[in-house]
Amino acid sequence: EIYQCDWSSDVCSSDLQLTYKFRAAISPKDIVEEILVRDVIDLTWEVQRLKNYKNKILQLNQGTALEKVFHQIFGYGSGKSELIDKWQKGDPEAKEKVNQELTSRGFEFSVVDAMNFRLNIGDIERIDRLIMQAEARRMAHLREVQRHHSFLAEVMREAIAAHEDSKVIEHIDEN
């Protein structure tokens, strides 16, 4: 079986579900189509992983962005480090206090997201390029699957036409 899974069980389960969905939609007829389907699935997972990586990078660096925003708004040595540490640990009171502090200065939390974007734009751009490349490769594979199907359909049409032509000739010869 081509569909071997070597990832964690959750990913493996999702991978197999996606595999079966693709196979049901495409109905690969031979090993070439099986390989093309597998490649499309792998590229689909690659795109998804890259998108997840981008989100994780932004999530991981949100605390740094909050620090930068607080330093710009309140200045260094403003005593906000403890609040930021608690916020990074997920403390609900700290989250509320951070929002209050930002609001008191006329900002929304989206300013932190903007700073996070600014701090990570290089990584985001590189990941976006990788995503575009993987999507382009996936589209090329999908076109190849379509071309392969079209080729088989044309071969079958020609075989049917040849068969029908021979039947017409046989019928003419009989008369």
Side-chain angles (χ1 to χ4, degrees):
E1 177 79 6
I2 266 183
Y3 303 104
Q4 300 293 322
C5 221
D6 59 357
W7 298 318
S8 71
S9 61
D10 288 345
V11 173
C12 184
S13 174
S14 297
D15 180 57
L16 288 175
Q17 288 174 7
L18 183 63
T19 298
Y20 293 128
K21 285 180 184 178
F22 268 85
R23 289 189 71 197
I26 296 171
S27 300
K29 307 286 187 266
D30 58 26
I31 190 65
V32 172
E33 289 184 15
E34 290 278 345
I35 290 168
L36 290 169
V37 168
R38 182 73 237 172
D39 288 346
V40 168
I41 292 166
D42 288 346
L43 289 166
T44 299
W45 275 110
E46 182 177 340
V47 167
Q48 188 59 53
R49 276 192 300 274
L50 289 167
K51 287 178 180 181
N52 288 339
Y53 293 162
K54 184 169 69 169
N55 290 335
K56 294 296 182 189
I57 287 170
L58 291 171
Q59 185 180 27
L60 180 66
N61 290 302
Q62 199 167 28
T64 303
L66 179 61
E67 286 179 37
K68 294 269 188 198
V69 166
F70 269 29
H71 290 310
Q72 284 185 3
I73 294 173
F74 301 107
Y76 287 95
S78 61
K80 304 290 185 197
S81 297
E82 185 179 332
L83 176 61
I84 293 169
D85 287 341
K86 287 181 180 180
W87 179 88
Q88 285 182 306
K89 292 176 183 170
D91 183 314
E93 291 177 17
K95 287 184 178 202
E96 181 61 35
K97 181 70 173 161
V98 163
N99 284 324
Q100 288 172 359
E101 293 284 345
L102 290 170
T103 303
S104 73
R105 296 294 178 117
F107 295 101
E108 294 178 1
F109 193 81
S110 61
V111 72
V112 177
D113 292 332
M115 177 63 76
N116 197 6
F117 181 79
R118 180 179 157 255
L119 294 172
N120 294 287
I121 188 68
D123 291 334
I124 291 168
E125 285 178 335
R126 283 190 297 276
I127 292 171
D128 281 344
R129 269 193 306 276
L130 291 171
I131 289 170
M132 288 186 325
Q133 290 169 353
E135 287 174 337
R137 290 192 325 268
R138 181 176 58 187
M139 288 306 298
H141 278 78
L142 288 170
R143 282 190 301 275
E144 188 62 25
V145 169
Q146 182 180 17
R147 186 194 68 75
H148 191 73
H149 270 283
S150 296
F151 172 75
L152 288 175
E154 184 61 32
V155 168
M156 291 177 71
R157 275 193 289 279
E158 289 173 5
I160 290 168
H163 176 72
E164 288 174 347
D165 288 345
S166 70
K167 291 295 180 190
V168 168
I169 292 171
E170 284 177 17
H171 181 67
I172 292 172
D173 288 343
E174 290 174 1
N175 291 329

